Amino acid sequence: MPIIFTDEDLMHIDKEKDNQLRTIRQAIDDLKAKGNATFCKKCGHIMQYFSVGNAKLFQCGFCGNRIAEMIEL
């Protein structure tokens, strides 16, 4: 038995995805505005970081790229 979607169903799914993308874009714009977000040079995704001593270590959760940055005191 095939599953049949009406135009109304598809419109609801598209609206839901649209809202999710808008929320993600807003979160990324907020990070950019704060200035503390670092983006991967390979793939462009946001890098996660943690501090060790006077260094900040970044790792991309998507491609695995890693970089280190010294913190100026």
Side-chain angles (χ1 to χ4, degrees):
M1 175 178 233
I3 298 173
I4 300 171
F5 290 102
T6 64
D7 289 341
E8 187 176 323
D9 293 334
L10 293 175
M11 194 166 86
H12 177 71
I13 290 172
D14 288 344
K15 186 181 280 188
E16 188 176 310
K17 290 291 183 188
D18 238 14
N19 288 339
Q20 287 176 345
L21 287 174
R22 189 173 292 115
T23 303
I24 291 169
R25 284 188 196 120
Q26 183 64 38
I28 290 172
D29 289 343
D30 290 345
L31 286 172
K32 285 181 181 178
K34 288 180 184 176
N36 61 356
T38 302
F39 296 89
C40 181
K41 304 258 189 285
K42 280 185 175 179
C43 64
H45 287 84
I46 295 176
M47 298 185 82
Q48 302 166 343
Y49 74 91
F50 54 96
S51 297
V52 176
N54 62 347
K56 195 182 272 189
L57 305 174
F58 295 93
Q59 180 173 2
C60 179
F62 186 75
C63 71
N65 187 24
R66 294 179 183 166
I67 59 171
E69 184 178 282
M70 296 300 288
I71 299 172
E72 294 180 17
L73 301 174

Short mmCIF file of all heavy atoms in Angstrom, two decimals:
data_model
loop_
_atom_site.label_atom_id
_atom_site.label_comp_id
_atom_site.label_asym_id
_atom_site.label_seq_id
_atom_site.Cartn_x
_atom_site.Cartn_y
_atom_site.Cartn_z
N MET A 1 0.84 -1.17 0.00
CA MET A 1 0.00 0.00 0.00
C MET A 1 0.89 1.25 0.00
O MET A 1 1.69 1.44 0.91
CB MET A 1 -0.90 -0.03 1.23
CG MET A 1 -1.73 1.20 1.43
SD MET A 1 -2.78 0.99 2.87
CE MET A 1 -4.33 1.36 2.14
N PRO A 2 0.81 2.11 -1.00
CA PRO A 2 1.66 3.29 -1.08
C PRO A 2 1.20 4.37 -0.09
O PRO A 2 0.03 4.47 0.25
CB PRO A 2 1.48 3.77 -2.51
CG PRO A 2 0.15 3.26 -2.92
CD PRO A 2 -0.04 1.96 -2.18
N ILE A 3 2.16 5.16 0.35
CA ILE A 3 1.86 6.30 1.21
C ILE A 3 1.69 7.51 0.31
O ILE A 3 2.55 7.81 -0.52
CB ILE A 3 3.00 6.54 2.21
CG1 ILE A 3 3.16 5.32 3.11
CG2 ILE A 3 2.75 7.79 3.03
CD1 ILE A 3 4.36 5.37 4.02
N ILE A 4 0.57 8.19 0.49
CA ILE A 4 0.26 9.35 -0.36
C ILE A 4 0.25 10.60 0.51
O ILE A 4 -0.42 10.66 1.54
CB ILE A 4 -1.10 9.17 -1.05
CG1 ILE A 4 -1.06 7.91 -1.93
CG2 ILE A 4 -1.45 10.40 -1.87
CD1 ILE A 4 -2.40 7.52 -2.50
N PHE A 5 1.04 11.60 0.09
CA PHE A 5 1.07 12.90 0.76
C PHE A 5 0.24 13.89 -0.04
O PHE A 5 0.38 13.96 -1.26
CB PHE A 5 2.50 13.42 0.89
CG PHE A 5 3.34 12.64 1.85
CD1 PHE A 5 4.27 11.72 1.41
CD2 PHE A 5 3.20 12.84 3.22
CE1 PHE A 5 5.05 11.02 2.30
CE2 PHE A 5 3.98 12.14 4.12
CZ PHE A 5 4.89 11.22 3.66
N THR A 6 -0.56 14.65 0.64
CA THR A 6 -1.29 15.72 -0.03
C THR A 6 -0.40 16.96 -0.09
O THR A 6 0.64 17.03 0.57
CB THR A 6 -2.59 16.06 0.72
OG1 THR A 6 -2.24 16.58 2.01
CG2 THR A 6 -3.48 14.84 0.89
N ASP A 7 -0.82 17.94 -0.89
CA ASP A 7 -0.06 19.19 -0.98
C ASP A 7 0.02 19.88 0.37
O ASP A 7 1.02 20.49 0.72
CB ASP A 7 -0.70 20.13 -2.00
CG ASP A 7 -0.49 19.64 -3.42
OD1 ASP A 7 0.43 18.81 -3.63
OD2 ASP A 7 -1.23 20.08 -4.32
N GLU A 8 -1.04 19.76 1.16
CA GLU A 8 -1.07 20.37 2.49
C GLU A 8 -0.03 19.73 3.41
O GLU A 8 0.64 20.40 4.17
CB GLU A 8 -2.46 20.24 3.10
CG GLU A 8 -2.63 20.99 4.39
CD GLU A 8 -4.05 20.90 4.91
OE1 GLU A 8 -4.98 20.92 4.09
OE2 GLU A 8 -4.21 20.80 6.14
N ASP A 9 0.12 18.40 3.33
CA ASP A 9 1.12 17.70 4.13
C ASP A 9 2.52 18.17 3.76
O ASP A 9 3.36 18.42 4.63
CB ASP A 9 1.03 16.19 3.92
CG ASP A 9 -0.25 15.59 4.47
OD1 ASP A 9 -0.83 16.19 5.40
OD2 ASP A 9 -0.66 14.54 3.96
N LEU A 10 2.78 18.26 2.48
CA LEU A 10 4.11 18.69 2.02
C LEU A 10 4.39 20.12 2.43
O LEU A 10 5.52 20.46 2.79
CB LEU A 10 4.22 18.52 0.51
CG LEU A 10 4.19 17.07 0.01
CD1 LEU A 10 4.19 17.05 -1.50
CD2 LEU A 10 5.35 16.28 0.56
N MET A 11 3.38 20.97 2.41
CA MET A 11 3.56 22.36 2.82
C MET A 11 3.92 22.43 4.30
O MET A 11 4.78 23.19 4.71
CB MET A 11 2.30 23.16 2.54
CG MET A 11 2.50 24.65 2.61
SD MET A 11 1.13 25.54 1.91
CE MET A 11 0.05 25.61 3.31
N HIS A 12 3.29 21.59 5.11
CA HIS A 12 3.58 21.55 6.55
C HIS A 12 5.01 21.09 6.80
O HIS A 12 5.73 21.65 7.62
CB HIS A 12 2.59 20.63 7.27
CG HIS A 12 2.87 20.49 8.73
ND1 HIS A 12 2.65 21.52 9.62
CD2 HIS A 12 3.38 19.47 9.45
CE1 HIS A 12 3.00 21.13 10.83
NE2 HIS A 12 3.45 19.88 10.76
N ILE A 13 5.46 20.07 6.08
CA ILE A 13 6.82 19.56 6.23
C ILE A 13 7.82 20.64 5.82
O ILE A 13 8.81 20.87 6.50
CB ILE A 13 7.02 18.28 5.40
CG1 ILE A 13 6.22 17.14 6.04
CG2 ILE A 13 8.49 17.90 5.32
CD1 ILE A 13 6.18 15.87 5.21
N ASP A 14 7.57 21.31 4.71
CA ASP A 14 8.47 22.37 4.25
C ASP A 14 8.53 23.51 5.26
O ASP A 14 9.59 24.06 5.52
CB ASP A 14 8.03 22.90 2.89
CG ASP A 14 8.29 21.91 1.76
OD1 ASP A 14 9.07 20.96 1.99
OD2 ASP A 14 7.71 22.09 0.68
N LYS A 15 7.40 23.87 5.84
CA LYS A 15 7.37 24.96 6.81
C LYS A 15 8.16 24.58 8.06
O LYS A 15 8.91 25.39 8.61
CB LYS A 15 5.93 25.29 7.20
CG LYS A 15 5.80 26.50 8.09
CD LYS A 15 4.35 26.78 8.45
CE LYS A 15 3.69 27.49 7.30
NZ LYS A 15 2.33 27.96 7.65
N GLU A 16 8.05 23.32 8.48
CA GLU A 16 8.79 22.84 9.65
C GLU A 16 10.30 22.89 9.39
O GLU A 16 11.07 23.36 10.23
CB GLU A 16 8.35 21.42 9.98
CG GLU A 16 8.90 20.88 11.28
CD GLU A 16 8.33 19.51 11.58
OE1 GLU A 16 7.11 19.34 11.52
OE2 GLU A 16 9.14 18.61 11.86
N LYS A 17 10.72 22.42 8.23
CA LYS A 17 12.14 22.46 7.86
C LYS A 17 12.63 23.90 7.75
O LYS A 17 13.75 24.21 8.14
CB LYS A 17 12.40 21.72 6.53
CG LYS A 17 12.23 20.24 6.63
CD LYS A 17 13.31 19.63 7.45
CE LYS A 17 13.16 18.13 7.49
NZ LYS A 17 14.06 17.50 8.40
N ASP A 18 11.78 24.76 7.19
CA ASP A 18 12.12 26.17 7.08
C ASP A 18 12.37 26.78 8.45
O ASP A 18 13.34 27.53 8.64
CB ASP A 18 10.97 26.91 6.40
CG ASP A 18 11.39 27.62 5.15
OD1 ASP A 18 12.50 27.33 4.66
OD2 ASP A 18 10.62 28.47 4.67
N ASN A 19 11.52 26.47 9.41
CA ASN A 19 11.68 26.99 10.77
C ASN A 19 12.96 26.46 11.41
O ASN A 19 13.67 27.19 12.10
CB ASN A 19 10.47 26.63 11.63
CG ASN A 19 9.25 27.42 11.25
OD1 ASN A 19 9.34 28.48 10.65
ND2 ASN A 19 8.08 26.89 11.59
N GLN A 20 13.29 25.18 11.18
CA GLN A 20 14.53 24.62 11.73
C GLN A 20 15.74 25.32 11.14
O GLN A 20 16.67 25.68 11.86
CB GLN A 20 14.60 23.12 11.44
CG GLN A 20 13.66 22.28 12.27
CD GLN A 20 13.71 20.81 11.88
OE1 GLN A 20 14.22 20.45 10.84
NE2 GLN A 20 13.14 19.98 12.73
N LEU A 21 15.75 25.51 9.83
CA LEU A 21 16.88 26.19 9.18
C LEU A 21 17.01 27.63 9.66
O LEU A 21 18.11 28.12 9.88
CB LEU A 21 16.73 26.15 7.66
CG LEU A 21 16.98 24.81 7.02
CD1 LEU A 21 16.65 24.87 5.53
CD2 LEU A 21 18.42 24.37 7.21
N ARG A 22 15.88 28.31 9.84
CA ARG A 22 15.91 29.69 10.30
C ARG A 22 16.49 29.76 11.72
O ARG A 22 17.29 30.65 12.02
CB ARG A 22 14.49 30.27 10.28
CG ARG A 22 14.46 31.76 10.55
CD ARG A 22 13.08 32.37 10.36
NE ARG A 22 12.69 32.34 8.96
CZ ARG A 22 11.66 31.62 8.48
NH1 ARG A 22 10.92 30.90 9.28
NH2 ARG A 22 11.37 31.65 7.20
N THR A 23 16.14 28.80 12.57
CA THR A 23 16.67 28.76 13.93
C THR A 23 18.18 28.52 13.92
O THR A 23 18.92 29.17 14.66
CB THR A 23 15.97 27.65 14.73
OG1 THR A 23 14.57 27.88 14.71
CG2 THR A 23 16.45 27.61 16.16
N ILE A 24 18.63 27.61 13.08
CA ILE A 24 20.07 27.32 12.97
C ILE A 24 20.82 28.55 12.46
O ILE A 24 21.87 28.92 12.99
CB ILE A 24 20.31 26.11 12.06
CG1 ILE A 24 19.79 24.84 12.74
CG2 ILE A 24 21.78 25.95 11.71
CD1 ILE A 24 19.73 23.63 11.83
N ARG A 25 20.28 29.19 11.43
CA ARG A 25 20.93 30.40 10.90
C ARG A 25 21.01 31.50 11.95
O ARG A 25 22.01 32.20 12.04
CB ARG A 25 20.16 30.91 9.67
CG ARG A 25 20.39 30.10 8.44
CD ARG A 25 19.78 30.76 7.23
NE ARG A 25 19.68 29.81 6.14
CZ ARG A 25 18.55 29.44 5.55
NH1 ARG A 25 17.41 29.96 5.93
NH2 ARG A 25 18.56 28.57 4.59
N GLN A 26 19.95 31.66 12.73
CA GLN A 26 19.94 32.68 13.79
C GLN A 26 21.01 32.39 14.83
O GLN A 26 21.72 33.29 15.27
CB GLN A 26 18.56 32.75 14.44
CG GLN A 26 18.44 33.82 15.49
CD GLN A 26 18.60 35.21 14.91
OE1 GLN A 26 18.12 35.49 13.81
NE2 GLN A 26 19.26 36.08 15.63
N ALA A 27 21.16 31.11 15.21
CA ALA A 27 22.18 30.74 16.20
C ALA A 27 23.57 31.02 15.66
O ALA A 27 24.44 31.54 16.39
CB ALA A 27 22.03 29.27 16.57
N ILE A 28 23.82 30.72 14.39
CA ILE A 28 25.13 30.97 13.78
C ILE A 28 25.38 32.47 13.70
O ILE A 28 26.49 32.94 14.00
CB ILE A 28 25.23 30.30 12.40
CG1 ILE A 28 25.29 28.79 12.57
CG2 ILE A 28 26.44 30.80 11.63
CD1 ILE A 28 25.22 28.01 11.28
N ASP A 29 24.37 33.25 13.32
CA ASP A 29 24.53 34.71 13.26
C ASP A 29 24.83 35.29 14.63
O ASP A 29 25.64 36.21 14.75
CB ASP A 29 23.28 35.37 12.66
CG ASP A 29 23.14 35.10 11.17
OD1 ASP A 29 24.14 34.71 10.55
OD2 ASP A 29 22.03 35.29 10.65
N ASP A 30 24.20 34.75 15.68
CA ASP A 30 24.48 35.21 17.04
C ASP A 30 25.93 34.92 17.42
O ASP A 30 26.60 35.76 18.03
CB ASP A 30 23.54 34.54 18.05
CG ASP A 30 22.11 35.03 17.93
OD1 ASP A 30 21.89 36.08 17.27
OD2 ASP A 30 21.21 34.36 18.47
N LEU A 31 26.43 33.72 17.06
CA LEU A 31 27.82 33.39 17.36
C LEU A 31 28.78 34.31 16.61
O LEU A 31 29.79 34.75 17.15
CB LEU A 31 28.11 31.93 17.00
CG LEU A 31 27.55 30.87 17.94
CD1 LEU A 31 27.76 29.48 17.35
CD2 LEU A 31 28.21 30.97 19.29
N LYS A 32 28.47 34.60 15.34
CA LYS A 32 29.32 35.50 14.56
C LYS A 32 29.33 36.90 15.16
O LYS A 32 30.36 37.56 15.19
CB LYS A 32 28.82 35.57 13.11
CG LYS A 32 29.15 34.36 12.29
CD LYS A 32 28.63 34.55 10.87
CE LYS A 32 28.90 33.36 9.99
NZ LYS A 32 28.34 33.55 8.63
N ALA A 33 28.18 37.36 15.63
CA ALA A 33 28.08 38.71 16.19
C ALA A 33 28.89 38.83 17.48
O ALA A 33 29.48 39.88 17.73
CB ALA A 33 26.62 39.06 16.46
N LYS A 34 28.94 37.77 18.28
CA LYS A 34 29.72 37.79 19.51
C LYS A 34 31.22 37.81 19.22
O LYS A 34 32.01 38.29 20.01
CB LYS A 34 29.40 36.57 20.37
CG LYS A 34 28.04 36.63 21.02
CD LYS A 34 27.80 35.39 21.85
CE LYS A 34 26.40 35.39 22.41
NZ LYS A 34 26.12 34.14 23.13
N GLY A 35 31.61 37.27 18.07
CA GLY A 35 33.01 37.29 17.67
C GLY A 35 33.85 36.17 18.26
O GLY A 35 35.05 36.14 18.07
N ASN A 36 33.24 35.24 18.98
CA ASN A 36 34.03 34.17 19.58
C ASN A 36 33.87 32.84 18.84
O ASN A 36 34.27 31.81 19.34
CB ASN A 36 33.69 34.00 21.06
CG ASN A 36 32.24 33.64 21.29
OD1 ASN A 36 31.46 33.58 20.34
ND2 ASN A 36 31.87 33.40 22.53
N ALA A 37 33.29 32.86 17.66
CA ALA A 37 33.14 31.64 16.88
C ALA A 37 34.29 31.52 15.90
O ALA A 37 34.70 32.50 15.29
CB ALA A 37 31.82 31.65 16.13
N THR A 38 34.82 30.33 15.77
CA THR A 38 35.87 30.05 14.80
C THR A 38 35.35 29.01 13.83
O THR A 38 34.76 28.02 14.24
CB THR A 38 37.14 29.52 15.50
OG1 THR A 38 37.57 30.50 16.45
CG2 THR A 38 38.25 29.26 14.52
N PHE A 39 35.56 29.26 12.54
CA PHE A 39 35.06 28.35 11.53
C PHE A 39 36.21 27.60 10.89
O PHE A 39 37.30 28.13 10.70
CB PHE A 39 34.27 29.14 10.47
CG PHE A 39 33.04 29.78 11.03
CD1 PHE A 39 33.08 31.05 11.57
CD2 PHE A 39 31.85 29.09 11.04
CE1 PHE A 39 31.95 31.63 12.11
CE2 PHE A 39 30.70 29.66 11.57
CZ PHE A 39 30.76 30.93 12.11
N CYS A 40 35.97 26.35 10.56
CA CYS A 40 36.99 25.48 9.96
C CYS A 40 37.39 26.00 8.59
O CYS A 40 36.54 26.36 7.78
CB CYS A 40 36.42 24.06 9.86
SG CYS A 40 37.60 22.88 9.18
N LYS A 41 38.68 26.02 8.32
CA LYS A 41 39.18 26.49 7.03
C LYS A 41 38.96 25.46 5.93
O LYS A 41 38.90 25.80 4.76
CB LYS A 41 40.67 26.81 7.12
CG LYS A 41 41.02 27.83 8.19
CD LYS A 41 41.26 29.18 7.61
CE LYS A 41 41.81 30.16 8.59
NZ LYS A 41 40.86 30.66 9.54
N LYS A 42 38.81 24.17 6.31
CA LYS A 42 38.60 23.11 5.32
C LYS A 42 37.15 23.05 4.85
O LYS A 42 36.88 23.02 3.66
CB LYS A 42 38.96 21.75 5.91
CG LYS A 42 40.43 21.43 5.92
CD LYS A 42 40.59 20.00 6.41
CE LYS A 42 42.02 19.55 6.35
NZ LYS A 42 42.15 18.17 6.85
N CYS A 43 36.20 22.98 5.82
CA CYS A 43 34.81 22.72 5.45
C CYS A 43 33.85 23.84 5.82
O CYS A 43 32.72 23.85 5.36
CB CYS A 43 34.33 21.42 6.08
SG CYS A 43 34.28 21.45 7.88
N GLY A 44 34.27 24.80 6.66
CA GLY A 44 33.43 25.94 7.00
C GLY A 44 32.50 25.74 8.18
O GLY A 44 31.72 26.63 8.51
N HIS A 45 32.55 24.59 8.84
CA HIS A 45 31.70 24.36 10.00
C HIS A 45 32.28 25.04 11.24
O HIS A 45 33.46 25.35 11.29
CB HIS A 45 31.55 22.85 10.27
CG HIS A 45 30.68 22.16 9.30
ND1 HIS A 45 31.14 21.72 8.09
CD2 HIS A 45 29.37 21.82 9.36
CE1 HIS A 45 30.15 21.14 7.43
NE2 HIS A 45 29.06 21.19 8.18
N ILE A 46 31.43 25.27 12.25
CA ILE A 46 31.88 25.88 13.50
C ILE A 46 32.76 24.89 14.24
O ILE A 46 32.43 23.72 14.36
CB ILE A 46 30.68 26.29 14.37
CG1 ILE A 46 29.88 27.39 13.67
CG2 ILE A 46 31.14 26.77 15.74
CD1 ILE A 46 28.63 27.78 14.41
N MET A 47 33.88 25.39 14.75
CA MET A 47 34.81 24.52 15.48
C MET A 47 34.53 24.61 16.98
O MET A 47 34.23 25.67 17.50
CB MET A 47 36.25 24.93 15.19
CG MET A 47 36.62 24.77 13.72
SD MET A 47 38.34 25.09 13.40
CE MET A 47 39.06 23.54 13.83
N GLN A 48 34.64 23.47 17.64
CA GLN A 48 34.49 23.41 19.09
C GLN A 48 35.87 23.63 19.69
O GLN A 48 36.87 23.25 19.12
CB GLN A 48 33.96 22.05 19.51
CG GLN A 48 32.62 21.72 18.89
CD GLN A 48 32.27 20.25 19.03
OE1 GLN A 48 33.12 19.43 19.31
NE2 GLN A 48 31.01 19.95 18.83
N TYR A 49 35.92 24.25 20.88
CA TYR A 49 37.22 24.51 21.46
C TYR A 49 37.21 24.28 22.97
O TYR A 49 36.17 24.26 23.60
CB TYR A 49 37.69 25.93 21.17
CG TYR A 49 36.99 27.01 21.95
CD1 TYR A 49 37.48 27.44 23.17
CD2 TYR A 49 35.82 27.59 21.46
CE1 TYR A 49 36.84 28.43 23.89
CE2 TYR A 49 35.17 28.58 22.18
CZ TYR A 49 35.69 28.98 23.39
OH TYR A 49 35.04 29.95 24.09
N PHE A 50 38.42 24.09 23.50
CA PHE A 50 38.62 24.05 24.94
C PHE A 50 40.00 24.61 25.21
O PHE A 50 40.88 24.61 24.35
CB PHE A 50 38.45 22.63 25.53
CG PHE A 50 39.30 21.58 24.89
CD1 PHE A 50 40.52 21.24 25.46
CD2 PHE A 50 38.89 20.93 23.75
CE1 PHE A 50 41.31 20.26 24.89
CE2 PHE A 50 39.68 19.95 23.17
CZ PHE A 50 40.88 19.61 23.74
N SER A 51 40.19 25.15 26.42
CA SER A 51 41.45 25.80 26.78
C SER A 51 42.31 24.87 27.61
O SER A 51 41.81 24.17 28.49
CB SER A 51 41.18 27.07 27.57
OG SER A 51 40.48 27.98 26.78
N VAL A 52 43.60 24.86 27.29
CA VAL A 52 44.58 24.11 28.07
C VAL A 52 45.74 25.05 28.33
O VAL A 52 46.44 25.44 27.41
CB VAL A 52 45.07 22.85 27.30
CG1 VAL A 52 46.15 22.15 28.09
CG2 VAL A 52 43.93 21.92 26.98
N GLY A 53 45.89 25.45 29.60
CA GLY A 53 46.95 26.40 29.92
C GLY A 53 46.72 27.71 29.21
O GLY A 53 45.67 28.31 29.34
N ASN A 54 47.71 28.15 28.44
CA ASN A 54 47.55 29.40 27.69
C ASN A 54 47.32 29.14 26.20
O ASN A 54 47.64 29.95 25.36
CB ASN A 54 48.75 30.31 27.90
CG ASN A 54 50.04 29.69 27.40
OD1 ASN A 54 50.08 28.50 27.12
ND2 ASN A 54 51.07 30.49 27.28
N ALA A 55 46.74 27.99 25.88
CA ALA A 55 46.42 27.66 24.49
C ALA A 55 44.93 27.32 24.37
O ALA A 55 44.32 26.81 25.30
CB ALA A 55 47.24 26.48 24.02
N LYS A 56 44.39 27.64 23.23
CA LYS A 56 43.01 27.29 22.92
C LYS A 56 43.07 26.25 21.79
O LYS A 56 43.66 26.51 20.75
CB LYS A 56 42.25 28.53 22.47
CG LYS A 56 40.75 28.38 22.48
CD LYS A 56 40.06 29.62 21.97
CE LYS A 56 39.83 30.58 23.10
NZ LYS A 56 38.97 31.71 22.68
N LEU A 57 42.52 25.08 22.03
CA LEU A 57 42.55 23.99 21.05
C LEU A 57 41.19 23.89 20.37
O LEU A 57 40.16 23.78 21.04
CB LEU A 57 42.91 22.68 21.72
CG LEU A 57 44.21 22.67 22.53
CD1 LEU A 57 44.38 21.35 23.25
CD2 LEU A 57 45.39 22.94 21.62
N PHE A 58 41.19 23.94 19.04
CA PHE A 58 39.96 23.87 18.26
C PHE A 58 39.90 22.54 17.52
O PHE A 58 40.91 22.06 17.02
CB PHE A 58 39.93 24.99 17.21
CG PHE A 58 39.88 26.36 17.79
CD1 PHE A 58 41.03 27.07 18.02
CD2 PHE A 58 38.67 26.93 18.11
CE1 PHE A 58 40.99 28.34 18.54
CE2 PHE A 58 38.61 28.21 18.63
CZ PHE A 58 39.77 28.92 18.85
N GLN A 59 38.69 21.97 17.42
CA GLN A 59 38.49 20.76 16.63
C GLN A 59 37.16 20.87 15.90
O GLN A 59 36.14 21.22 16.50
CB GLN A 59 38.50 19.52 17.50
CG GLN A 59 38.30 18.26 16.66
CD GLN A 59 38.48 16.99 17.46
OE1 GLN A 59 38.72 17.03 18.66
NE2 GLN A 59 38.34 15.87 16.81
N CYS A 60 37.18 20.56 14.62
CA CYS A 60 35.97 20.56 13.82
C CYS A 60 35.24 19.24 14.04
O CYS A 60 35.84 18.17 13.88
CB CYS A 60 36.30 20.74 12.34
SG CYS A 60 34.84 20.74 11.28
N GLY A 61 33.98 19.31 14.40
CA GLY A 61 33.19 18.10 14.62
C GLY A 61 32.79 17.42 13.34
O GLY A 61 32.39 16.26 13.34
N PHE A 62 32.93 18.11 12.21
CA PHE A 62 32.50 17.54 10.93
C PHE A 62 33.64 16.81 10.22
O PHE A 62 33.51 15.64 9.89
CB PHE A 62 31.95 18.65 10.03
CG PHE A 62 31.36 18.15 8.75
CD1 PHE A 62 30.14 17.52 8.73
CD2 PHE A 62 32.05 18.32 7.56
CE1 PHE A 62 29.60 17.06 7.55
CE2 PHE A 62 31.52 17.86 6.37
CZ PHE A 62 30.29 17.23 6.36
N CYS A 63 34.77 17.50 10.02
CA CYS A 63 35.86 16.89 9.25
C CYS A 63 37.04 16.45 10.12
O CYS A 63 37.94 15.78 9.65
CB CYS A 63 36.34 17.82 8.15
SG CYS A 63 37.24 19.27 8.73
N GLY A 64 37.06 16.84 11.41
CA GLY A 64 38.13 16.42 12.30
C GLY A 64 39.37 17.29 12.26
O GLY A 64 40.36 16.98 12.93
N ASN A 65 39.33 18.39 11.52
CA ASN A 65 40.47 19.30 11.44
C ASN A 65 40.75 19.88 12.83
O ASN A 65 39.85 20.23 13.56
CB ASN A 65 40.13 20.43 10.45
CG ASN A 65 41.31 21.32 10.19
OD1 ASN A 65 42.45 20.94 10.35
ND2 ASN A 65 41.02 22.55 9.75
N ARG A 66 42.03 19.99 13.20
CA ARG A 66 42.42 20.51 14.50
C ARG A 66 43.44 21.63 14.34
O ARG A 66 44.33 21.55 13.51
CB ARG A 66 43.07 19.42 15.36
CG ARG A 66 42.14 18.33 15.74
CD ARG A 66 42.88 17.30 16.57
NE ARG A 66 42.00 16.19 16.88
CZ ARG A 66 42.42 15.04 17.37
NH1 ARG A 66 43.70 14.85 17.59
NH2 ARG A 66 41.56 14.10 17.63
N ILE A 67 43.28 22.66 15.18
CA ILE A 67 44.27 23.74 15.22
C ILE A 67 44.43 24.19 16.67
O ILE A 67 43.57 23.94 17.52
CB ILE A 67 43.88 24.95 14.34
CG1 ILE A 67 42.53 25.53 14.76
CG2 ILE A 67 43.88 24.59 12.88
CD1 ILE A 67 42.20 26.83 14.09
N ALA A 68 45.54 24.83 16.97
CA ALA A 68 45.81 25.38 18.29
C ALA A 68 46.11 26.86 18.14
O ALA A 68 46.69 27.30 17.15
CB ALA A 68 46.99 24.67 18.94
N GLU A 69 45.72 27.63 19.14
CA GLU A 69 45.92 29.07 19.11
C GLU A 69 46.38 29.51 20.50
O GLU A 69 45.82 29.09 21.51
CB GLU A 69 44.59 29.71 18.76
CG GLU A 69 44.60 31.20 18.60
CD GLU A 69 43.21 31.69 18.19
OE1 GLU A 69 42.86 31.55 17.02
OE2 GLU A 69 42.50 32.19 19.08
N MET A 70 47.40 30.33 20.56
CA MET A 70 47.89 30.82 21.84
C MET A 70 46.99 31.97 22.32
O MET A 70 46.58 32.81 21.53
CB MET A 70 49.33 31.33 21.72
CG MET A 70 50.33 30.25 21.34
SD MET A 70 50.39 28.91 22.53
CE MET A 70 51.20 29.71 23.88
N ILE A 71 46.72 31.99 23.61
CA ILE A 71 45.92 33.05 24.21
C ILE A 71 46.88 34.13 24.70
O ILE A 71 47.79 33.84 25.47
CB ILE A 71 45.08 32.51 25.38
CG1 ILE A 71 44.13 31.44 24.90
CG2 ILE A 71 44.33 33.65 26.05
CD1 ILE A 71 43.41 30.72 26.03
N GLU A 72 46.67 35.35 24.24
CA GLU A 72 47.54 36.46 24.66
C GLU A 72 47.03 36.98 25.99
O GLU A 72 45.84 37.29 26.14
CB GLU A 72 47.55 37.55 23.61
CG GLU A 72 48.18 37.11 22.32
CD GLU A 72 48.18 38.21 21.29
OE1 GLU A 72 48.00 39.40 21.66
OE2 GLU A 72 48.38 37.90 20.10
N LEU A 73 47.91 37.10 26.95
CA LEU A 73 47.52 37.61 28.27
C LEU A 73 47.82 39.07 28.43
O LEU A 73 48.60 39.66 27.85
CB LEU A 73 48.24 36.81 29.37
CG LEU A 73 47.93 35.32 29.35
CD1 LEU A 73 48.81 34.62 30.37
CD2 LEU A 73 46.47 35.09 29.67
#
